Amino acid sequence: MSFVTLVRHGQANTHARDEASYDQLSDLGRQQARWLGDHLRATGEVFARAYCGTLERHVETAREMALDLEVVRDPRLNELEYFTMAQLLETQHGVAMPVDREAFVLHLPRVFSYWREDRLEGAPETFADFEARVRDVLADIAAGEGRAIAITSGGLIGMAMRVTMGLEMQALAHACIAVENSSLHRFQPLPTGLALTLFNAVPHLESPDRALMRTHL
């Protein structure tokens, strides 16, 4: 088994209200990805394998990072459809979609709760199916030869923490909310499973001149 480093994509369209509109990087998101790629090369970080989801923001982040590897696109690394489920929650249960980060912090745990309880009729996939595909793709990538890097999304990174650390629902929501754009998260293989050894690292954005370039949404 090999180390697995998950990367959240660069900042996407912060004004989006649906899945299609969100699935594109902002100018800042592209720059975050370039800075991350530069940092990995400058520090001598070497990966044997690279993966990303099939969403445009994943593919574009990988492209801007310039990994110099063939990037395998795996749909199991795709994000949960938050906007779709938020619209279902509003239509079916009268819970309005949030308009700012403060409201989003309260909204996400409600989406997760209704989703896990199968109370969102027409959800793109069940909570159990999402959990299973995250567990499966992590195990498959970790079973390969050499260190691996995978570009994905915040919800999937949060679920990766749940399946490796046993997070309860509130902790899962908090983990997802905390994940910064273009951040690094590393899982180390142990005989008993994968262990989280790095969370939410943004070394490429820590200099004073980039302090305002750190984003969550």
Side-chain angles (χ1 to χ4, degrees), residues 52-99:
C52 71
T54 61
L55 299 175
E56 181 60 29
R57 59 190 183 272
H58 300 158
V59 174
E60 194 173 358
T61 297
R63 183 184 306 122
E64 295 290 350
M65 288 174 66
L67 292 167
D68 197 26
L69 288 168
E70 178 184 357
V71 181
V72 176
R73 300 183 188 184
D74 191 327
R76 294 178 299 173
L77 290 167
N78 287 353
E79 179 65 296
L80 59 95
E81 292 192 24
Y82 167 74
F83 287 103
T84 300
M85 291 191 292
Q87 290 162 357
L88 293 174
L89 185 62
E90 183 168 11
T91 301
Q92 297 173 16
H93 301 283
V95 178
M97 187 179 293
V99 295

Side-chain angles (χ1 to χ4, degrees):
M1 299 180 74
S2 305
F3 287 93
V4 178
T5 299
L6 300 182
V7 177
R8 187 188 176 195
H9 60 79
Q11 183 192 55
N13 177 13
T14 59
H15 302 294
R17 304 291 286 176
D18 57 61
E19 301 296 335
S21 299
Y22 184 69
D23 195 24
Q24 54 186 299
L25 294 188
S26 66
D27 290 341
L28 175 56
R30 285 186 285 274
Q31 181 63 71
Q32 290 169 336
R34 289 193 292 270
W35 281 332
L36 177 56
D38 291 344
H39 169 80
L40 294 175
R41 284 184 289 276
T43 56
E45 185 78 54
V46 177
F47 297 97
R49 298 170 291 131
Y51 303 84
C52 71
T54 61
L55 299 175
E56 181 60 29
R57 59 190 183 272
H58 300 158
V59 174
E60 194 173 358
T61 297
R63 183 184 306 122
E64 295 290 350
M65 288 174 66
L67 292 167
D68 197 26
L69 288 168
E70 178 184 357
V71 181
V72 176
R73 300 183 188 184
D74 191 327
R76 294 178 299 173
L77 290 167
N78 287 353
E79 179 65 296
L80 59 95
E81 292 192 24
Y82 167 74
F83 287 103
T84 300
M85 291 191 292
Q87 290 162 357
L88 293 174
L89 185 62
E90 183 168 11
T91 301
Q92 297 173 16
H93 301 283
V95 178
M97 187 179 293
V99 295
D100 53 36
R101 186 171 188 273
E102 288 69 26
F104 175 74
V105 168
L106 299 175
H107 188 264
L108 185 61
R110 298 190 71 178
V111 171
F112 280 171
S113 294
Y114 278 77
W115 185 27
R116 188 188 187 195
E117 295 163 7
D118 293 323
R119 297 174 63 191
L120 295 178
E121 184 177 348
E125 65 182 325
T126 66
F127 183 91
D129 285 345
F130 179 57
E131 187 171 28
R133 72 169 163 94
V134 173
R135 189 187 306 275
D136 288 347
V137 74
L138 273 180
D140 287 350
I141 294 175
E145 292 292 330
R147 293 189 174 193
I149 188 168
I151 294 87
T152 181
S153 291
L156 189 138
I157 292 168
M159 181 57 79
M161 294 175 64
R162 171 178 165 85
V163 302
T164 57
M165 301 175 67
L167 298 185
E168 295 300 329
M169 293 300 291
Q170 190 67 52
L172 167 61
H174 286 168
C176 294
I177 291 165
V179 175
E180 295 189 41
N181 293 116
S182 71
S183 55
L184 298 164
H185 312 258
R186 184 163 297 143
F187 294 85
Q188 177 183 356
L190 299 174
T192 51
L194 291 174
L196 181 71
T197 59
L198 182 71
F199 173 68
N200 221 22
V202 285
H204 55 298
L205 302 178
E206 290 180 346
S207 60
D209 60 313
R210 297 181 186 176
L212 298 180
M213 305 301 179
R214 298 174 63 165
T215 58
H216 292 83
L217 298 178

